[in-house]
Protein backbone atom coordinates (compact mmCIF):
# COMPACT_ATOMS: atom_id res chain seq x y z
CA UNK A 1 0.00 0.00 0.00
CA UNK A 2 1.44 3.45 -0.86
CA UNK A 3 1.95 6.14 1.75
CA UNK A 4 1.63 9.94 1.68
CA UNK A 5 5.06 11.54 1.20
CA UNK A 6 4.05 14.42 3.47
CA UNK A 7 2.53 12.82 6.56
CA UNK A 8 3.29 9.12 6.07
CA UNK A 9 -0.34 7.95 6.32
CA UNK A 10 -1.54 5.09 4.06
CA UNK A 11 -3.30 6.16 0.85
CA UNK A 12 -5.08 4.40 -1.98
CA UNK A 13 -3.35 4.26 -5.35
CA UNK A 14 -6.24 6.15 -6.94
CA UNK A 15 -6.19 9.08 -4.49
CA UNK A 16 -5.12 12.49 -5.80
CA UNK A 17 -4.96 14.08 -2.32
CA UNK A 18 -4.11 12.63 1.08
CA UNK A 19 -7.17 12.23 3.29
CA UNK A 20 -5.07 12.88 6.43
CA UNK A 21 -3.11 16.03 5.55
CA UNK A 22 -4.70 17.18 2.28
CA UNK A 23 -1.46 17.28 0.31
CA UNK A 24 -1.40 16.39 -3.38
CA UNK A 25 -0.22 12.85 -4.04
CA UNK A 26 2.73 12.47 -6.38
CA UNK A 27 2.04 10.48 -9.51
CA UNK A 28 4.02 7.28 -10.03
CA UNK A 29 6.01 8.96 -12.80
CA UNK A 30 7.07 11.86 -10.58
CA UNK A 31 7.88 9.44 -7.74
CA UNK A 32 10.20 7.49 -10.05
CA UNK A 33 11.96 10.69 -11.05
CA UNK A 34 12.63 11.96 -7.54
CA UNK A 35 16.29 12.24 -6.76
CA UNK A 36 17.30 13.91 -3.55
CA UNK A 37 16.22 16.13 -0.73
CA UNK A 38 17.00 19.76 -1.50
CA UNK A 39 20.43 20.99 -0.41
CA UNK A 40 20.59 23.47 2.47
CA UNK A 41 19.88 27.04 1.45
CA UNK A 42 21.84 30.03 2.66
CA UNK A 43 18.70 31.10 4.55
CA UNK A 44 18.98 27.95 6.64
CA UNK A 45 22.48 28.81 7.81
CA UNK A 46 21.35 31.43 10.30
CA UNK A 47 22.37 31.87 13.90
CA UNK A 48 19.72 30.99 16.48
CA UNK A 49 20.58 31.93 20.07
CA UNK A 50 24.22 30.91 19.84
CA UNK A 51 23.63 27.87 17.63
CA UNK A 52 24.10 27.78 13.88
CA UNK A 53 21.34 26.11 11.92
CA UNK A 54 22.99 23.74 9.45
CA UNK A 55 20.00 22.17 7.71
CA UNK A 56 16.38 21.10 8.12
CA UNK A 57 15.54 17.64 6.83
CA UNK A 58 11.78 17.15 6.43
CA UNK A 59 9.46 14.16 6.69
CA UNK A 60 11.39 11.43 8.46
CA UNK A 61 9.05 8.62 9.48
CA UNK A 62 9.73 6.77 12.70
CA UNK A 63 8.00 3.40 12.95
CA UNK A 64 6.04 2.87 16.15
CA UNK A 65 4.25 -0.19 17.48
CA UNK A 66 1.27 -1.80 15.76
CA UNK A 67 2.30 -0.49 12.33
CA UNK A 68 1.91 3.15 13.32
CA UNK A 69 4.43 5.80 12.39
CA UNK A 70 5.16 9.38 13.40
CA UNK A 71 6.59 11.95 11.03
CA UNK A 72 9.41 14.18 12.26
CA UNK A 73 11.30 17.12 10.82
CA UNK A 74 15.00 17.05 11.71
CA UNK A 75 16.54 20.39 12.64
CA UNK A 76 20.33 20.10 12.78
CA UNK A 77 22.38 22.83 14.42
CA UNK A 78 26.11 22.84 15.01
CA UNK A 79 25.44 21.45 18.52
CA UNK A 80 22.40 19.16 18.37
CA UNK A 81 19.88 17.31 16.27
CA UNK A 82 16.28 18.12 17.14
CA UNK A 83 13.50 15.81 15.99
CA UNK A 84 10.25 17.81 15.80
CA UNK A 85 7.04 15.87 15.31
CA UNK A 86 4.85 16.99 12.41
CA UNK A 87 1.45 17.40 14.04
CA UNK A 88 -1.94 18.04 12.48
CA UNK A 89 -1.94 21.39 14.30
CA UNK A 90 1.28 22.43 12.54
CA UNK A 91 -0.10 21.27 9.19
CA UNK A 92 -3.37 23.16 9.76
CA UNK A 93 -1.57 26.34 10.86
CA UNK A 94 0.69 26.17 7.81
CA UNK A 95 -2.25 25.69 5.43
CA UNK A 96 -4.10 28.59 7.09
CA UNK A 97 -1.02 30.82 6.84
CA UNK A 98 -0.55 29.98 3.15
CA UNK A 99 -4.21 30.70 2.37
CA UNK A 100 -4.14 34.00 4.28
CA UNK A 101 -0.98 35.08 2.48
CA UNK A 102 -2.55 34.25 -0.89
CA UNK A 103 -5.70 36.19 0.08
CA UNK A 104 -3.58 39.20 1.11
CA UNK A 105 -1.93 39.04 -2.32
CA UNK A 106 -5.39 39.25 -3.89
CA UNK A 107 -5.50 35.68 -5.16
CA UNK A 108 -8.86 34.02 -5.71
CA UNK A 109 -10.03 30.52 -4.85
CA UNK A 110 -7.62 28.70 -7.16
CA UNK A 111 -4.70 30.90 -6.10
CA UNK A 112 -5.41 30.12 -2.46
CA UNK A 113 -5.74 26.41 -3.24
CA UNK A 114 -2.42 26.42 -5.12
CA UNK A 115 -0.74 28.28 -2.24
CA UNK A 116 -1.85 25.68 0.28
CA UNK A 117 -0.65 22.80 -1.90
CA UNK A 118 2.96 23.98 -2.12
CA UNK A 119 5.86 21.58 -1.67
CA UNK A 120 6.76 19.45 1.31
CA UNK A 121 9.40 21.88 2.64
CA UNK A 122 6.82 24.47 3.65
CA UNK A 123 6.05 22.69 6.91
CA UNK A 124 9.65 23.32 7.95
CA UNK A 125 9.75 27.08 7.26
CA UNK A 126 8.71 27.80 10.84
CA UNK A 127 11.93 26.31 12.22
CA UNK A 128 14.23 28.71 10.39
CA UNK A 129 13.50 31.48 12.88
CA UNK A 130 12.60 29.52 16.02
CA UNK A 131 14.91 29.14 18.97
CA UNK A 132 15.94 25.45 19.21
CA UNK A 133 14.55 25.28 22.77
CA UNK A 134 11.19 26.55 21.47
CA UNK A 135 11.20 23.75 18.90
CA UNK A 136 11.82 21.19 21.65
CA UNK A 137 9.01 22.52 23.84
CA UNK A 138 6.51 22.74 20.97
CA UNK A 139 5.37 19.11 21.38
CA UNK A 140 5.89 16.48 24.08
CA UNK A 141 7.10 13.99 21.44
CA UNK A 142 9.93 16.28 20.26
CA UNK A 143 13.40 15.18 21.32
CA UNK A 144 17.04 16.01 20.80
CA UNK A 145 20.37 14.26 20.50
CA UNK A 146 23.60 16.11 21.11
CA UNK A 147 25.67 15.79 17.93
CA UNK A 148 28.68 14.70 20.01
CA UNK A 149 26.70 11.58 21.04
CA UNK A 150 25.94 10.54 17.46
CA UNK A 151 28.54 7.94 16.56
CA UNK A 152 27.27 7.07 13.07
CA UNK A 153 24.60 8.12 10.58
CA UNK A 154 24.03 5.58 7.82
CA UNK A 155 21.62 5.73 4.92
CA UNK A 156 20.68 2.85 2.67
CA UNK A 157 20.07 4.92 -0.40
CA UNK A 158 21.44 2.31 -2.76
CA UNK A 159 18.48 0.01 -2.15
CA UNK A 160 14.89 1.02 -1.55
CA UNK A 161 12.50 -1.01 0.56
CA UNK A 162 9.22 -2.50 -0.69
CA UNK A 163 7.46 0.88 -0.37
CA UNK A 164 10.16 2.78 -2.25
CA UNK A 165 11.55 4.28 0.96
CA UNK A 166 15.11 5.07 2.00
CA UNK A 167 16.30 4.15 5.50
CA UNK A 168 18.36 6.41 7.77
CA UNK A 169 19.91 4.89 10.88
CA UNK A 170 21.29 7.03 13.71
CA UNK A 171 23.63 5.22 16.10
CA UNK A 172 24.27 7.03 19.38
CA UNK A 173 26.18 5.98 22.47
CA UNK A 174 22.97 4.44 23.88
CA UNK A 175 20.55 3.62 21.06
CA UNK A 176 19.77 3.16 17.38
CA UNK A 177 16.99 5.05 15.66
CA UNK A 178 15.72 4.10 12.20
CA UNK A 179 13.73 6.50 10.06
CA UNK A 180 12.22 6.15 6.59
CA UNK A 181 12.01 8.85 3.95
CA UNK A 182 10.88 9.04 0.35
CA UNK A 183 13.77 11.24 -0.72
CA UNK A 184 17.42 10.33 -1.11
CA UNK A 185 18.94 11.70 2.10
CA UNK A 186 22.64 11.50 1.19
CA UNK A 187 23.23 15.15 0.30
CA UNK A 188 21.25 16.43 3.30
CA UNK A 189 23.05 14.09 5.72
CA UNK A 190 26.39 15.15 4.31
CA UNK A 191 25.52 18.79 4.99
CA UNK A 192 24.21 17.96 8.46
CA UNK A 193 26.97 15.70 9.72
CA UNK A 194 29.90 16.45 7.40
CA UNK A 195 29.81 12.94 6.03
CA UNK A 196 32.17 12.12 3.20
Amino acid sequence: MPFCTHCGKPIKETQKFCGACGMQIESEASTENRTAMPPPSEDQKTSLKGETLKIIIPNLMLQKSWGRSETFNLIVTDQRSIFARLTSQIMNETVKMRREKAAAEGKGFFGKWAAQMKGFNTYTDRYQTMNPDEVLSEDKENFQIQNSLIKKVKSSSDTLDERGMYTIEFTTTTQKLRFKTQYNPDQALKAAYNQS
Side-chain angles (χ1 to χ4, degrees), residues 8-196:
K9 301 295 183 200
I11 55 171
K12 295 178 183 171
E13 292 181 11
T14 56
Q15 281 181 259
K16 297 206 184 294
F17 297 94
C18 175
C21 70
M23 295 304 290
Q24 186 172 9
I25 305 301
E26 292 181 272
S27 69
E28 196 171 306
S30 67
T31 302
E32 288 172 3
N33 293 330
R34 68 173 180 256
T35 54
M37 290 179 173
S41 67
E42 288 305 312
D43 292 341
Q44 290 182 346
K45 297 178 181 175
T46 55
S47 180
L48 301 173
K49 301 274 183 174
E51 293 182 51
T52 301
L53 178 62
K54 294 175 83 173
I55 192 168
I56 301 171
I57 304 175
N59 298 336
L60 301 181
M61 286 170 266
L62 181 64
Q63 294 300 121
K64 300 275 189 162
S65 60
W66 303 98
R68 296 178 307 118
S69 66
E70 293 279 355
T71 302
F72 288 84
N73 294 311
L74 172 57
I75 298 92
V76 182
T77 74
D78 58 340
Q79 297 175 29
R80 55 186 160 168
S81 298
I82 301 170
F83 296 84
R85 189 168 70 103
L86 181 58
T87 64
S88 57
Q89 179 182 348
I90 290 171
M91 290 188 283
N92 292 337
E93 287 173 5
T94 304
V95 167
K96 181 180 176 189
M97 180 191 67
R98 289 184 207 156
R99 289 183 62 79
E100 288 173 354
K101 183 177 179 205
E105 293 170 354
K107 294 183 178 171
F109 173 80
F110 290 109
K112 292 176 193 172
W113 183 257
Q116 99 179 33
M117 301 311 286
K118 282 194 176 167
F120 71 94
N121 269 344
T122 315
Y123 291 129
T124 63
D125 289 349
R126 64 194 291 113
Y127 301 118
Q128 293 188 25
T129 55
M130 287 178 75
N131 175 309
D133 292 323
E134 291 173 332
V135 176
L136 273 174
S137 64
E138 187 177 46
D139 186 86
K140 63 182 174 69
E141 299 284 332
N142 292 0
F143 65 96
Q144 69 176 345
I145 301 172
Q146 293 297 321
N147 291 342
S148 60
L149 299 178
I150 298 174
K151 300 302 178 193
K152 185 177 179 184
V153 180
K154 179 177 119 182
S155 69
S156 58
S157 57
D158 53 338
T159 56
L160 299 176
D161 71 7
E162 66 281 354
R163 294 187 305 169
M165 304 284 275
Y166 297 91
T167 300
I168 303 172
E169 184 176 272
F170 292 84
T171 303
T172 72
T173 54
T174 59
Q175 65 181 331
K176 280 189 180 182
L177 293 169
R178 286 185 188 89
F179 292 87
K180 298 283 186 176
T181 181
Q182 290 226 345
Y183 295 88
N184 186 330
D186 290 345
Q187 188 175 7
L189 293 174
K190 183 176 182 182
Y193 300 106
N194 303 318
Q195 291 187 321
S196 54

